[in-house]
Amino acid sequence: MGASDALTERVAFLRDSLQKSRTHTDRMVSMLGSFDHRLSALEAAMRPTQVRTYAIRMAHENIDKTLKSADVILGYFERTREAELKLSRGPRDNLESYLTAIDQLRGILQFFSSNKSLRSNDGVVNQANNTLAKAIMKLEDEFRTLLVTHSKPVPPDSLFGSLPEISQPLSGSLDQQSESAKNLSSTNHSEHQVKSSEAAALTPPKLIPPRILPLLHKLAQQLVQAGRQQQCLKIYREVRSSTLEKSLSSLGVEKLSKEEVQKLPWESLETKIGNWIHHMRIAVKLLFAWERELCNQIFEGIGSVKDQCFSEITANSMLVLLSFGEAIAKSKRSPEKLFVLLDMYEVMHELQPEIELIFDGKSCSEMRASALSLTKQLAQTAQETFGDFEEAVEKDASKTFIADGTVHPLTSYVINYVKFLFDYQATLKQLFLEFANGDGTKNQLASITMRIMQALQSNLDVKSKMYKDPALQHLFLMNNIHYIVKSVRRSEAKDILGDDWIQRHRRIVQQNANQYRRVGWAKILQTLSAQGLTSSGGGSIPGSDGGSSGLVPKPILKDRFKSFNMQFEELCLRQCEWTVPDQELRESLRLAVAEVLLPAYRSFIKRFGPMLENNKNPSKYIKYYPENLETKLGELFEGNRQQRGPLSQGDCSCGTNQSSINPK
């Protein structure tokens, strides 16, 4: 029971404790409810104070922001004043400071433009814009002043010194010019491989001082940034194009119209063409290349401005040079123009890669196309001139009559023409490639040369008919064809025409020499024949063999000796006027005549000379002995008429009397 009572007491105690706890809880809830009511009333009472406090705090923050904004605005006003002060001094004394002030003013304008709510915005922006516009105008003036002050034409000596392979322009007499042109052409061909890499290694004169270049670059940047790109380009173009034209003018470059070029006499035109070749090399390799580099430096990083600017600077100068070339290419063709056409084609072909490089870009496309077009025009005209020359040689109807049968001027002209042609083999190779038709360039040159030679021979055949004396006709052909063969053998033409051609024409020379001997001396040889010296009764004399030859009438024998003497003297007198200019050929021809004449004369005089020894005056008929004939033959073909003027009896000893003979 004790345990049960204890449990009952504990339960009663717990019930009593729980009751007390409820009572305390109810009291606490009642108290807290009272507190909540009082706090709500307190919060309602404090709300107006909180609102006023927040408003005061926000007002302070707005004041701070306003003060800060005012400081910023005041700072921009101060910077505006500073910038205007710097800009008022102009760019001359301190360009860097001036450019900084412009950038500063641009920043100020950007600030006010982005804060349009400011009441003073419009006035400040207008003032800043006006100041900036005036500053940019001063930059334009400074840009022009710097360019004008430091842009000087390049002296000709500096240009020729920068390209040592180019000589000074031709001057002096025509002969001197021609010789200089030949020497120059030879030099050009031997140095044909000198290209732009060598020119690039040269130290060019400074078109603009290095210390000025950065200033011009910055000025150009500012002008383009300010929207004054066209004005900037105009200034640069006017100054630099004028300077470039003055540099070319100092070299001797002239602006000639097509009509003016075509009216020039050939001697003057030839000199101008030679100078044009110099001018093209100097313009492309030096002046245009330097202008391109200068343009790149000043307009570096400014879009496509530099290409357009360079194009506009060089356009007029390039046009003047190309126009002259086009006038020549389109002028009336003539043989003497072929070599200058080849020279012009050679220089244009040589410069074409550099032109493509220097005149790169869309803005320069027209000049590249014009240069390439001129190269093709020159090639075409040169090609057509080959055909013209061949036709001109064949149809040459010059009235020049070569009385002594020597080498005709046409022959020497054509041969020199062909020999000079072979100095242009590299150029001709390239030219033939322009009109490639499958044949090798060597074959094309051989074909052209052979056709020219054939045309010359055809013309010489016609010219030989101008001589009434058939012997002189053959002598003329012999001289001219021998000159052709000898010239070919001593030139590069021999490798093109070949040994067969040379041997064939040597045989033609020999054939004409034989024909000359046969036609020229056949009649006199007939007088040394025994034919017709038959016995005819009284007045005859026995032969030197004691009569076995029969009796020869003395009058007939005297007439025969007289006829020989007269014909021999006439032949000598006439053929002393003829010329065989080649010494070896001359001696050979004299020997050929002697080989047929002397044996016949020796035989005749041996057989019939004694028949007149008892005559009253034998020397009247036997005027010459073989030794005398040989001496007289040695005087033939010297061309006495051309050397000493009109021939007189005393000009040729063939007509002397017996007293000048010393028989042995």
Side-chain angles (χ1 to χ4, degrees):
M1 291 298 289
S4 176
D5 292 339
L7 182 61
T8 298
E9 289 178 2
R10 184 173 291 278
V11 169
F13 176 77
L14 288 174
R15 187 179 290 118
D16 184 51
S17 296
L18 182 61
Q19 185 63 39
K20 291 179 179 178
S21 178
R22 283 191 186 128
T23 300
H24 291 312
T25 299
D26 291 340
R27 289 177 180 174
M28 184 60 67
V29 169
S30 176
M31 290 174 66
L32 290 174
S34 175
F35 283 145
D36 183 59
H37 177 72
R38 286 196 293 266
L39 286 173
S40 296
L42 180 61
E43 182 179 0
M46 291 182 64
R47 185 170 291 117
T49 303
Q50 291 176 337
V51 171
R52 287 194 298 272
T53 302
Y54 178 76
I56 292 170
R57 186 171 68 251
M58 291 303 296
H60 280 293
E61 289 179 0
N62 287 335
I63 291 171
D64 289 340
K65 289 181 179 178
T66 301
L67 290 173
K68 289 180 180 178
S69 296
D71 288 339
V72 171
I73 293 170
L74 290 172
Y76 275 104
F77 275 114
E78 180 62 24
R79 285 195 288 276
T80 301
R81 189 187 65 80
E82 292 175 356
E84 290 177 346
L85 181 61
K86 291 179 181 178
L87 294 175
S88 67
R89 297 170 183 157
R92 185 63 51 83
D93 294 333
N94 192 338
L95 181 60
E96 290 289 346
S97 176
Y98 192 86
L99 296 177
T100 301
I102 288 179
D103 289 335
Q104 190 175 350
L105 198 56
R106 284 200 178 102
I108 293 169
L109 281 169
Q110 184 178 3
F111 168 77
F112 284 111
S113 298
S114 61
N115 291 275
K116 296 181 179 180
S117 60
L118 295 173
R119 294 179 63 183
S120 59
N121 176 52
D122 292 341
V124 174
V125 169
N126 290 337
Q127 182 179 350
N129 275 326
N130 290 334
T131 303
L132 184 59
K134 293 178 181 178
I136 295 301
M137 291 298 294
K138 289 182 180 180
L139 283 186
E140 285 186 18
D141 293 339
E142 182 66 10
F143 188 67
R144 181 188 299 276
T145 300
L146 284 176
L147 275 175
V148 171
T149 302
H150 298 287
S151 292
K152 304 296 181 185
V154 183
D157 290 343
S158 296
L159 293 169
F160 285 108
S162 296
L163 283 182
E165 70 271 17
I166 296 180
S167 62
Q168 294 284 347
L170 300 177
S171 61
S173 68
L174 178 60
D175 292 339
Q176 292 171 334
Q177 293 170 4
S178 177
E179 187 64 28
S180 298
K182 291 180 181 180
N183 295 337
L184 175 62
S185 175
S186 176
T187 301
N188 287 345
H189 289 290
S190 64
E191 298 179 358
H192 185 68
Q193 301 301 319
V194 177
K195 298 298 181 182
S196 58
S197 58
E198 292 189 9
L202 298 169
T203 302
K206 305 299 181 183
L207 300 184
I208 299 289
R211 63 183 179 82
I212 303 298
L213 286 176
L215 302 180
L216 289 172
H217 175 63
K218 291 178 181 178
L219 287 169
Q221 281 182 317
Q222 289 286 351
L223 292 173
V224 172
Q225 187 178 347
R228 308 288 292 178
Q229 175 174 315
Q230 292 306 315
Q231 290 80 355
C232 176
L233 292 180
K234 181 181 179 182
I235 293 170
Y236 191 84
R237 180 180 65 247
E238 290 176 352
V239 176
R240 288 308 309 167
S241 62
S242 174
T243 304
L244 176 60
E245 289 168 17
K246 289 177 182 177
S247 295
L248 288 172
S249 178
S250 67
L251 285 173
V253 175
E254 300 176 81
K255 186 175 182 179
L256 299 173
S257 66
K258 181 180 178 181
E259 293 73 21
E260 288 174 325
V261 171
Q262 292 177 347
K263 289 179 181 178
L264 288 171
W266 168 243
E267 293 80 3
S268 177
L269 185 61
E270 186 178 24
T271 300
K272 289 186 183 297
I273 291 172
N275 291 337
W276 178 87
I277 291 170
H278 296 333
H279 300 156
M280 277 302 302
R281 281 201 174 97
I282 289 173
V284 174
K285 290 178 175 288
L286 302 180
L287 292 174
F288 292 160
W290 296 342
E291 285 294 343
R292 166 60 90 173
E293 179 62 25
L294 180 63
C295 205
N296 288 348
Q297 290 175 332
I298 292 178
F299 294 100
E300 180 64 34
I302 311 179
S304 60
V305 173
K306 57 187 178 183
D307 288 340
Q308 179 186 351
C309 192
F310 174 72
S311 172
E312 294 177 354
I313 289 169
T314 54
N316 189 57
S317 295
M318 190 66 157
L319 178 63
V320 169
L321 290 168
L322 295 182
S323 294
F324 180 86
E326 289 172 3
I328 299 299
K330 294 178 180 179
S331 63
K332 184 179 179 181
R333 298 192 301 272
S334 59
E336 65 268 17
K337 288 183 181 178
L338 176 59
F339 298 110
V340 295
L341 285 169
L342 291 176
D343 286 333
M344 294 173 72
Y345 167 77
E346 179 183 23
V347 74
M348 287 304 300
H349 181 266
E350 171 193 333
L351 295 175
Q352 197 62 44
E354 293 173 77
I355 291 173
E356 294 289 332
L357 180 64
I358 295 169
F359 292 89
D360 187 25
K362 184 178 180 180
S363 300
C364 300
S365 59
E366 186 175 342
M367 280 184 279
R368 293 198 305 273
S370 296
L372 182 60
S373 174
L374 174 58
T375 304
K376 292 185 177 298
Q377 285 178 16
L378 291 168
Q380 180 68 38
T381 306
Q383 182 89 343
E384 292 169 353
T385 305
F386 276 122
D388 294 344
F389 180 67
E390 178 186 339
E391 183 178 356
V393 170
E394 186 170 6
K395 296 182 178 180
D396 174 73
S398 61
K399 301 297 184 180
T400 304
F401 179 71
I402 309 301
D404 62 354
T406 189
V407 177
H408 196 279
L410 176 66
T411 303
S412 57
Y413 174 74
V414 172
I415 291 302
N416 288 334
Y417 197 94
V418 171
K419 288 165 67 177
F420 205 37
L421 196 63
F422 280 90
D423 290 337
Y424 288 82
Q425 287 194 67
T427 304
L428 290 170
K429 179 179 180 181
Q430 184 59 46
L431 185 143
F432 292 146
L433 289 176
E434 297 271 0
F435 308 96
N437 56 6
D439 295 336
T441 56
K442 185 175 181 179
N443 291 337
Q444 286 181 284
L445 184 57
S447 176
I448 289 172
T449 306
M450 286 182 178
R451 291 201 305 269
I452 291 174
M453 292 298 192
Q454 184 57 49
L456 175 59
Q457 286 181 243
S458 298
N459 190 283
L460 290 173
D461 286 338
V462 173
K463 283 180 166 44
S464 70
K465 302 300 189 293
M466 297 171 66
Y467 298 102
K468 295 180 180 180
D469 191 329
L472 188 52
Q473 292 180 11
H474 292 292
L475 186 82
F476 172 78
L477 290 173
M478 177 199 71
N479 276 331
N480 282 270
I481 297 175
H482 178 268
Y483 178 83
I484 294 171
V485 172
K486 187 174 182 179
S487 299
V488 167
R489 289 178 65 190
R490 293 180 176 181
S491 72
E492 295 180 64
K494 67 178 180 181
D495 298 325
I496 298 294
L497 297 175
D499 290 336
D500 289 344
W501 187 94
I502 292 174
Q503 293 304 321
R504 185 167 66 253
H505 286 77
R506 289 182 70 179
R507 287 193 293 271
I508 294 174
V509 173
Q510 188 59 50
Q511 289 168 7
N512 279 286
N514 293 339
Q515 285 294 93
Y516 152 78
R517 184 180 62 180
R518 183 184 66 79
V519 173
W521 296 87
K523 185 177 179 181
I524 194 173
L525 288 173
Q526 290 177 0
T527 65
L528 300 178
S529 169
Q531 185 177 358
L533 297 178
T534 57
S535 62
S536 57
S540 62
I541 57 176
S544 62
D545 55 1
S548 61
S549 300
L551 295 175
V552 180
K554 183 180 291 187
I556 294 177
L557 188 60
K558 289 179 179 180
D559 288 343
R560 186 67 64 87
F561 272 101
K562 284 182 179 181
S563 177
F564 173 84
N565 294 336
M566 181 181 67
Q567 288 188 44
F568 183 71
E569 289 169 3
E570 288 178 354
L571 284 172
C572 283
L573 185 64
R574 185 165 62 252
Q575 295 192 24
C576 277
E577 301 174 20
W578 298 357
T579 299
V580 177
D582 183 83
Q583 182 178 356
E584 184 178 348
L585 181 62
R586 184 169 62 248
E587 294 296 335
S588 174
L589 198 61
R590 289 169 176 169
L591 181 60
V593 173
E595 285 177 347
V596 296
L597 182 63
L598 294 183
Y601 187 73
R602 285 192 182 99
S603 175
F604 187 83
I605 201 171
K606 179 180 179 182
R607 182 176 180 182
F608 297 107
M611 299 179 185
L612 297 178
E613 286 180 352
N614 296 327
N615 196 58
K616 183 178 179 181
N617 189 9
S619 63
K620 179 179 178 181
Y621 306 103
I622 307 176
K623 294 177 66 176
Y624 301 104
Y625 288 90
E627 295 80 2
N628 305 126
L629 294 182
E630 187 172 7
T631 300
K632 305 313 174 217
L633 292 178
E635 298 174 357
L636 301 181
F637 317 127
E638 294 287 353
N640 292 321
R641 177 184 293 275
Q642 288 195 351
Q643 292 181 27
R644 298 195 299 268
L647 186 71
S648 63
Q649 181 71 17
D651 281 332
C652 183
S653 60
C654 298
T656 55
N657 56 29
Q658 179 66 22
S659 62
S660 63
I661 299 176
N662 297 309
K664 296 181 181 179

